[in-house]
Amino acid sequence: MLGWAITFLIVALIAGVLGFTGIAGAAVEIAQILFFIFIILFVIAMIARAVKGKPPL
């Protein structure tokens, strides 16, 4: 999922350089949403690992 966020970020940067503001804005929004979903899932995974008694990474 982080790969998708990075992909959309790159698409947004390229579209922004070329002047496609609508596409760039949409790609940035998608990248932000995917990034925050990734962060939330990461935190949940770390909490689950701590509850099981394993030390955090």
Side-chain angles (χ1 to χ4, degrees):
M1 192 174 308
L2 184 59
W4 281 105
I6 292 171
T7 302
F8 279 109
L9 177 63
I10 292 171
V11 168
L13 291 173
I14 292 171
V17 168
L18 297 176
F20 301 118
T21 55
I23 295 172
V28 166
E29 289 179 22
I30 293 171
Q32 286 177 340
I33 291 168
L34 290 176
F35 178 76
F36 286 119
I37 289 172
F38 174 77
I39 293 296
I40 290 168
L41 290 175
F42 176 73
V43 169
I44 291 171
M46 293 300 290
I47 291 170
R49 185 174 174 95
V51 168
K52 287 183 179 179
K54 297 179 182 177
L57 300 174

